[in-house]
Amino acid sequence: MNAKPPVLILWIVLLLGLFLWFNSLGTRHAFDPSRISYSEFLAELSDGQIAEVTLQEQEIQGTRIDGSFFITYNPDDPGLVGDLINQGVTIRALPPERPGVLMQILASWLPFMVLIGVWVWFMRRSMGGGSGGGLFNFGKSRARLLSEDQVKVTFADVAGVEEAKEEVAELVEFLRD
């Protein structure tokens, strides 16, 4: 049996696993002890307990005056930056994280490569050589052309209705002449 399809499946599973692993890098666990609610963050901000914040995408990371670290969700509050400035909090803003070039290439080309691989595998399998195999061999005649010296069957070898044999013999004579 051909060992290529299991190897192809193994490669696909390996690439999918790598893709999922690279996508999971950098994500934080939702039950992180330093994670606080946005309401708690606003309460600490109004009490003057926040020293510094870093705004990045949908997350706010920061330190309190006592040096403890916290993380909260950023709901894109339009008044947040004004409140931070009024409280004298140091603000840093970071650009959104972009996936690496390798991940972008892998994510954009992997589906096409898998489709092409499956198509090539299907075409090789359907064109299969030999007798009978293959999708495109359906309906093809397996008859062989024989020359006169290779024909060994005569009308004497054929059993059946004599009238039909005579008519076929007349047709053969007509075609020869």
Side-chain angles (χ1 to χ4, degrees), residues 31-126:
F31 301 109
D32 191 355
S34 60
R35 189 169 290 276
I36 62 172
S37 69
Y38 188 70
S39 300
E40 290 176 72
F41 167 71
L42 290 177
E44 290 179 7
L45 179 64
S46 64
D47 290 344
Q49 296 177 2
I50 308 296
E52 179 181 337
V53 294
T54 302
L55 304 173
Q56 183 178 16
E57 294 180 6
Q58 298 296 316
E59 189 172 79
I60 301 172
Q61 300 176 5
T63 54
R64 297 178 183 95
I65 293 180
D66 63 2
S68 61
F69 179 76
F70 69 90
I71 301 171
T72 190
Y73 172 73
N74 183 3
D76 292 331
D77 184 359
L80 177 63
V81 174
D83 292 342
L84 291 170
I85 292 172
N86 290 341
Q87 291 292 332
V89 176
T90 305
I91 304 170
R92 288 189 306 149
L94 298 176
E97 289 184 10
R98 292 183 12 196
V101 175
L102 179 63
M103 271 315 295
Q104 288 178 345
I105 291 171
L106 186 64
S108 63
W109 284 97
L110 182 66
F112 296 117
M113 298 309 273
V114 168
L115 286 174
I116 289 171
V118 168
W119 181 74
V120 166
W121 178 75
F122 176 72
M123 292 307 285
R124 281 185 165 188
R125 187 167 171 98
S126 67

